[in-house]
Amino acid sequence: MSRIHSLLETFRRDAIAGSVTGLMAIPLTIGICLMSEYPIQTGLLTVIFACVVSFITYLFKPGNFVGTPGIAAGLAPVLAMGIHLFGMQNMPFLIFLTASFQAIIWRYDLQKYILKAVPHYLVEGLLAGIGLKIALKFLPYTYNAITAHEFDIHNNDEVFVIFISLVSMLLFLYLFKKYKTSSPGVPYIAIIVLGVIISMYVPLPMLHIEPVPFQLLLPLPDQSTLTPMLIVKMVGYALMLSTIDVIEQVMSNAAIEKMDPLKRPANTNNSLLAIWIANLGSSFFGGMTNLDGLAKSTTNAMAGAITKLSNLFTAAVLGVFVAFPHLLTYLPEFALAVLMIFSGWKMIAGIFHVASHGQYAFMLAMFCGILVFKLGIFEGLLIALGLHGLITYIIYRHSDTSTWIIIQNFIKKFTDEIHPFSTETATVHQDDITGGLKYSSIQKIPSDKKSLTQFIDDWAYGINSHNVLNVVGTYDYQALLWGTFAKELREGHGNIKKYFEHLFELEKLHVEFESCEVRQYRDIFIQSGSYVFKYHNRDQVVSIPARYSFVCKKENTGWYILEHHSSQFPS
């Protein structure tokens, strides 16, 4: 009996979560279709098909457990550019090629190599450039009025549209801040409902729907436009589409795994199975690319979803608007613009997370974003990758590393499996003879001229930004740590990493230094003093005063913490 009750409870939660996610997915799907220059009904059908495929593959090869698929916002300008380059008649073939490449990536588990070749901070820069394109694309919708053809600040109708757009954005931001951790779909639905109500009393530009017949056709290229050079371009373009799609899914899976109410691990390669099957199928009806979108997946998880069954209810909600497309004409353009501008801003804001990985990563990500915005996605990413490779080569050559060794190290990135104890400053390998673990330091940038104070500030910044790798990277690979909250002495990066992973479970944890003294003994520096750890416990700030000693050494390759002792002050 309890088994039946549990199944019914799961069904109830998935039904509610999927329905809420479906309502929230409608304006996002419409906005991405407009950005991609695809018919809206085609986009809705793509999401419905992807939801069904996602549920079916979940039954035997689950990727994640609460993610919700949708058309990829990050690929919207790429698809629009594809239409301009190849024509809409060739887009089904382009999507078919993309799905084929993704099938190869899935079959041979190549996603891990793609992530090694393309640094994540370049992806953040690429998405920021795309986010800026999306925000600027929808900005005119926030001031266009029915009576105006060009922007005129003296036009009362335009002033009113600007006013309600501004009020709607402020309301959205307020609701988003209030409900983002409990019911993230609320602000999206609220803005749509508000827009529909206002449009009943005030004439506003409304969404226009062009009816599109549903056709099942083989995804073949248009023979009248086909040339050998065009095929080569389409293959390269499909490779770019599949690569970006895969990277976005990997990044989404990492976030979805943390949101899972049952803390079930995600399997990215299984998620890629659902993606390429859905893309392959959608190419037969002229559909778009898909992945598990972070906004929709967050809504699904926070609304109480337990399994991918929720995806079927999302598909059912979208199906209503496919069956009755005239319902979409009640959506005012300004409300859609508010949601899409926010989505664009979220993509732009992602670049600021890169700052925790250092100035180089942040500057290169910014440069990539600017190139993507000005030149295009494909060109911007290639130039940024080329610049990254050149800078890396120059740094290695500056430290007298031969070109052959540089090439060998690059190839090794794609051949060696990374041990889970490895960090940014130490690689870990299992010895084939003894079975023990061998630790090797990774050389830091030789130009690291930081002072001890700046180095300790880096440690504190890693703590305050909750970046485990940055914190662990400040320690020598055989360092000793007796943490403030620890009950045992920890040695080596693997054990130190576990300590900080557990420490970062405290809500809003951060550290503030108070006083210190520094002593130097030849090449050993000891900084002792006091700091305060603070975290939130049920909205109450808890302060833990502590004393510390950092034993540090500066080598040619940079600073390292050899030993770190910390303990709470006696009460």
Side-chain angles (χ1 to χ4, degrees):
M1 194 67 182
S2 60
R3 171 70 172 170
I4 296 175
H5 177 75
S6 176
L7 290 174
L8 289 175
E9 176 62 16
T10 298
F11 181 86
R12 183 189 70 82
R13 293 183 61 173
D14 284 341
I16 294 173
S19 300
V20 171
T21 305
L23 292 172
M24 177 259 199
I26 293 167
L28 290 183
T29 303
I30 293 171
I32 296 169
C33 286
L34 294 176
M35 187 73 195
S36 305
E37 301 182 19
Y38 261 82
I40 292 172
Q41 287 171 284
T42 301
L44 293 173
L45 280 171
T46 300
V47 179
I48 291 171
F49 182 71
C51 283
V52 174
V53 170
S54 178
F55 172 71
I56 294 173
T57 56
Y58 156 79
L59 296 176
F60 59 93
K61 279 189 176 292
N64 58 62
F65 294 83
V66 292
T68 301
I71 50 182
L75 293 178
V78 187
L79 293 175
M81 191 186 305
I83 293 173
H84 294 162
L85 289 174
F86 311 116
M88 180 60 83
Q89 69 274 17
N90 284 315
M91 290 306 290
F93 179 62
L94 182 66
I95 301 301
F96 178 82
L97 284 177
T98 300
S100 301
F101 287 132
Q102 289 175 335
I104 295 172
I105 293 170
W106 165 78
R107 175 64 180 82
Y108 297 101
D109 197 15
L110 301 180
Q111 46 92 11
K112 57 187 178 183
Y113 301 117
I114 292 175
L115 291 173
K116 291 178 181 179
V118 183
H120 69 91
Y121 46 83
L122 281 187
V123 178
E124 292 284 8
L126 179 144
L127 293 176
I130 294 174
L132 184 57
K133 285 178 178 284
I134 292 174
L136 293 180
K137 169 80 173 182
F138 285 91
L139 185 62
Y141 289 29
T142 62
Y143 57 77
N144 282 345
I146 294 175
T147 59
H149 299 288
E150 294 183 1
F151 178 71
D152 181 7
I153 192 63
H154 300 294
N155 186 307
N156 291 333
D157 291 338
E158 288 193 344
V159 171
F160 178 74
V161 175
I162 294 172
F163 173 74
I164 60 175
S165 297
L166 183 60
V167 171
S168 298
M169 178 59 80
L170 293 174
L171 175 63
F172 179 89
L173 294 175
Y174 169 76
L175 294 175
F176 182 81
K177 182 178 180 180
K178 184 175 181 179
Y179 292 103
K180 66 179 180 179
T181 57
S182 57
S183 303
V186 168
Y188 293 87
I189 297 172
I191 296 304
I192 295 303
V193 171
L194 176 64
V196 171
I197 293 174
I198 293 175
S199 67
M200 292 178 180
Y201 300 96
V202 180
L204 292 169
M206 307 298 286
L207 187 66
H208 179 68
I209 302 293
E210 288 286 349
V212 178
F214 177 75
Q215 293 180 310
L216 282 175
L217 298 171
L218 290 175
L220 299 175
D222 180 23
Q223 297 295 328
S224 63
T225 61
L226 202 61
T227 63
M229 182 56 66
L230 187 69
I231 293 178
V232 172
K233 287 183 179 179
M234 291 183 74
V235 169
Y237 212 80
L239 277 170
M240 179 184 66
L241 273 171
S242 59
T243 300
I244 297 174
D245 212 17
V246 167
I247 293 174
E248 278 206 68
Q249 181 60 57
V250 172
M251 295 168 67
S252 292
N253 258 14
I256 294 169
E257 182 178 276
K258 295 178 182 178
M259 294 183 291
D260 191 318
L262 302 181
K263 304 302 178 185
R264 293 162 290 191
N267 185 310
T268 297
N269 210 44
N270 287 350
S271 291
L272 298 184
L273 171 66
I275 286 178
W276 77 257
I277 292 176
N279 284 339
L280 191 71
S282 70
S283 69
F284 283 82
F285 61 84
M288 306 164 68
T289 55
N290 81 98
L291 56 83
D292 288 333
L294 199 52
K296 291 182 284 292
S297 299
T298 302
T299 299
N300 194 43
M302 297 303 176
I306 299 296
T307 72
K308 286 277 191 178
L309 178 64
S310 59
N311 288 179
L312 296 185
F313 291 93
T314 299
V317 172
L318 296 178
V320 173
F321 291 88
V322 171
F324 305 99
H326 69 278
L327 295 175
L328 298 175
T329 61
Y330 291 97
L331 177 63
E333 291 181 350
F334 86 87
L336 178 63
V338 167
L339 302 184
M340 293 309 298
I341 289 173
F342 177 77
S343 297
W345 165 248
K346 289 288 287 182
M347 295 171 72
I348 296 169
I351 201 169
F352 297 110
H353 301 156
V354 178
S356 62
H357 295 277
Q359 291 181 349
Y360 171 73
F362 181 71
M363 294 301 294
L364 193 61
M366 287 282 288
F367 182 65
C368 181
I370 294 170
L371 289 175
V372 166
F373 177 73
K374 296 294 291 185
L375 303 179
I377 290 101
F378 188 58
E379 297 89 343
L381 182 60
L382 281 182
I383 293 174
L385 271 174
L387 179 63
H388 173 59
L390 178 62
I391 293 173
T392 303
Y393 176 78
I394 292 172
I395 289 173
Y396 274 111
R397 290 295 295 140
H398 184 70
S399 58
D400 297 326
T401 304
S402 69
T403 300
W404 175 241
I405 296 297
I406 295 172
I407 294 173
Q408 284 184 318
N409 289 338
F410 179 75
I411 295 173
K412 188 181 293 185
K413 289 176 61 178
F414 300 92
T415 55
D416 289 352
E417 290 294 327
I418 297 178
H419 193 277
F421 283 3
S422 295
T423 69
E424 289 184 338
T425 56
T427 55
V428 181
H429 301 277
Q430 189 166 26
D431 189 275
D432 294 332
I433 300 176
T434 65
L437 297 181
K438 297 172 64 178
Y439 289 78
S440 304
S441 291
I442 297 176
Q443 190 176 41
K444 288 188 174 182
I445 300 174
S447 59
D448 190 351
K449 304 296 183 183
K450 294 180 179 178
S451 66
L452 176 62
T453 301
Q454 291 173 322
F455 171 65
I456 299 299
D457 286 344
D458 286 345
W459 176 88
Y461 182 81
I463 295 290
N464 295 337
S465 61
H466 290 199
N467 191 310
V468 175
L469 290 181
N470 273 20
V471 175
V472 177
T474 60
Y475 291 84
D476 182 74
Y477 69 91
Q478 289 182 323
L480 294 176
L481 167 67
W482 199 300
T484 313
F485 305 91
K487 296 182 179 179
E488 59 184 11
L489 183 66
R490 293 175 180 263
E491 179 182 3
H493 274 187
N495 293 319
I496 292 174
K497 183 180 178 184
K498 289 179 181 178
Y499 168 77
F500 284 109
E501 285 176 340
H502 180 68
L503 185 65
F504 289 160
E505 293 176 0
L506 297 174
E507 184 181 358
K508 297 182 180 179
L509 174 81
H510 70 282
V511 64
E512 297 175 1
F513 280 86
E514 292 188 329
S515 63
C516 71
E517 293 286 343
V518 178
R519 297 287 185 271
Q520 179 180 355
Y521 303 93
R522 294 190 178 182
D523 59 346
I524 299 296
F525 294 76
I526 302 175
Q527 178 172 311
S528 301
S530 62
Y531 48 28
V532 179
F533 286 94
K534 295 182 180 180
Y535 64 92
H536 286 229
N537 184 12
R538 298 179 180 178
D539 296 328
Q540 297 293 321
V541 178
V542 179
S543 297
I544 307 293
R547 51 199 173 190
Y548 71 87
S549 290
F550 286 107
V551 180
C552 305
K553 183 178 181 181
K554 186 173 185 181
E555 301 177 354
N556 292 332
T557 55
W559 286 96
Y560 295 97
I561 299 173
L562 302 178
E563 295 187 17
H564 176 197
H565 176 273
S566 180
S567 59
Q568 298 181 37
F569 281 114
S571 56

